[in-house]
Amino acid sequence: MTDLPEDPTLDEIRDALIPLVARHAAFDGWRDAAVEMAAQEAGVDADIARLAFKGGAVAMIDTWFASIDRAMLEAVPAGRLATMPIRARIAALVEARLTLLKADREALRRATAILAMPRNMARAAALGWRAADAMWRAAGDAATDYNHYTKRATLAAVYAATLMTFMDDDSDDHAETRAFLARRIEGIMRFEKAKARLTGADGGERLSLARFVGRLRYPAI
């Protein structure tokens, strides 16, 4: 039976049941059947459980992904992250998420299929952004200018691609996924360095498009 206070709120019931819902969603789909099985396993009234997840499949998936966000931060605490270079922080955070999802890859596959439906694409993008934002914040990013948006958009795309690789990866310890992730993070770091060079954010001379074009026309001797 899941540990719950004597008179739990719907939020508390939702958070307590969602790992079990995900486990059952692998077989029953992201439907009421999964909620009912989770409620039975946890000793929660089925009607109350259905009320907690009244938003349907996408709401269930949203709750599950939010629980992964929280569990990720517990798995890779701030003190540990502080000792790592930035690329290692991002890699550790993504890998922590993969470890948390490892036992529920079929539920993840079903969730991804639901989020890929045209009517759910905006919600899917929002969930991807939220995951990327959680990772960048945990990694110590405090950007408030356009870098805030480009970093999250880039990481969201990398994370989504990594999940697609992960779902079909049967290599030992998901070695193929880890290698794929390492290559993509290297790409992010190269992009960030190039962007810093372009804008002068690295303390160096800012690249000037006019000067560059001028040199093409009148090359220095």
Side-chain angles (χ1 to χ4, degrees):
M1 182 171 178
T2 301
D3 291 331
L4 279 169
E6 185 175 346
D7 188 20
T9 65
L10 289 179
D11 285 342
E12 289 170 334
I13 291 172
R14 192 180 301 115
D15 290 343
L17 289 184
I18 194 58
L20 299 176
V21 173
R23 200 63 45 86
H24 288 289
F27 304 98
D28 299 312
W30 290 94
R31 298 181 293 182
D32 282 349
V35 174
E36 291 163 4
M37 292 296 293
Q40 181 180 357
E41 185 175 343
V44 174
D45 182 271
D47 289 335
I48 295 176
R50 283 193 295 270
L51 181 61
F53 290 99
K54 65 179 180 180
V58 175
M60 294 181 203
I61 295 166
D62 187 334
T63 300
W64 185 38
F65 286 177
S67 74
I68 297 298
D69 291 341
R70 294 190 297 271
M72 172 193 71
L73 298 178
E74 294 176 3
V76 194
R80 178 182 163 196
L81 287 170
T83 66
M84 302 177 181
I86 187 66
R87 74 177 62 203
R89 295 179 197 179
I90 296 298
L93 290 163
V94 175
E95 289 185 4
R97 299 180 76 91
L98 299 181
T99 298
L100 291 164
L101 292 166
K102 182 178 179 179
D104 298 308
R105 282 201 297 171
E106 182 55 35
L108 177 62
R109 187 175 286 108
R110 287 173 178 259
T112 301
I114 291 170
L115 292 175
M117 295 178 181
R119 67 175 181 272
N120 296 328
M121 290 181 68
R123 188 72 170 273
L127 294 179
W129 182 275
R130 186 177 71 190
D133 182 57
M135 285 186 274
W136 271 118
R137 288 182 185 276
D141 178 62
T144 57
D145 58 4
Y146 77 97
N147 286 295
H148 174 92
Y149 302 98
T150 59
K151 286 180 178 180
R152 282 147 182 80
T154 304
L155 181 55
V158 167
Y159 179 53
T162 301
L163 285 182
M164 296 303 292
T165 302
F166 171 70
M167 284 188 288
D168 294 320
D169 182 6
D170 294 321
S171 61
D172 291 341
D173 197 28
H174 302 293
E176 292 180 8
T177 300
R178 295 178 190 280
F180 177 89
L181 174 62
R183 292 193 298 271
R184 294 304 177 271
I185 290 178
E186 176 63 27
I188 291 178
M189 295 301 106
R190 286 199 303 267
F191 173 73
E192 290 299 323
K193 287 180 180 179
K195 187 173 64 177
R197 179 74 179 91
L198 181 64
T199 61
D202 61 349
E205 181 184 3
R206 180 171 181 168
L207 291 179
S208 167
L209 180 60
R211 187 183 302 121
F212 175 70
V213 173
R215 286 176 178 172
L216 288 177
R217 186 175 180 183
Y218 304 109
I221 299 175

